[in-house]
Amino acid sequence: MIIVYISIALVVLALIYLGVSSIRTYKKSQPVLHDLQETANRLQKQTESIQNETTRLSATQEKIMSDVEYKKKTVQETIEIAKETPETLKSFKEFIPSKKQERAAHRVRG
């Protein structure tokens, strides 16, 4: 019978030791878990910051691309108009009297 009481006492002591060990392990792991949680939070904030910056950069890039396209189109239109200038000047040349015609007009008048 004594063996039964000693066995029960050992089981109780083992359970008490298990509880105490569990509490110690829990207390020791709390700071580590807290540090891990803080690290996860910092990583999440950095990820959000990077995503926001990526969004801003994409918007800025889109604006720049649009502006470049507009300016490219404007320059191309200006070049096209400049290419048409000689033809336009030729058509105006018909309305400008030549020097021979001016002399003849002065002689007729005067």
Side-chain angles (χ1 to χ4, degrees):
M1 197 67 169
I2 282 189
I3 294 178
V4 174
Y5 291 125
I6 293 175
S7 296
I8 292 174
L10 282 175
V11 169
V12 170
L13 288 174
L15 289 174
I16 292 172
Y17 181 73
L18 176 65
V20 170
S21 295
S22 298
I23 291 171
R24 283 184 187 164
T25 304
Y26 176 77
K27 286 182 180 180
K28 286 180 182 177
S29 66
Q30 279 296 69
V32 174
L33 291 174
H34 183 69
D35 288 345
L36 287 173
Q37 185 62 37
E38 286 180 357
T39 302
N41 288 339
R42 281 194 310 268
L43 286 174
Q44 181 65 30
K45 286 179 184 178
Q46 288 176 349
T47 302
E48 289 172 1
S49 174
I50 289 171
Q51 287 175 344
N52 290 338
E53 190 67 25
T54 302
T55 303
R56 286 181 43 220
L57 287 174
S58 294
T60 303
Q61 180 184 13
E62 191 65 36
K63 287 179 185 177
I64 290 172
M65 295 288 285
S66 175
D67 188 47
V68 166
E69 189 63 35
Y70 171 75
K71 288 178 180 178
K72 179 181 172 184
K73 183 179 175 184
T74 303
V75 168
Q76 287 175 343
E77 288 175 358
T78 303
I79 290 171
E80 289 299 319
I81 291 171
K83 287 179 181 178
E84 294 173 5
T85 301
E87 295 297 323
T88 305
L89 289 177
K90 286 180 185 177
S91 65
F92 279 126
K93 198 172 190 181
E94 295 175 6
F95 296 109
I96 299 174
S98 66
K99 289 189 178 186
K100 290 181 182 179
Q101 289 176 349
E102 285 181 15
R103 289 182 194 156
H106 287 292
R107 288 185 197 155
V108 173
R109 288 186 194 164

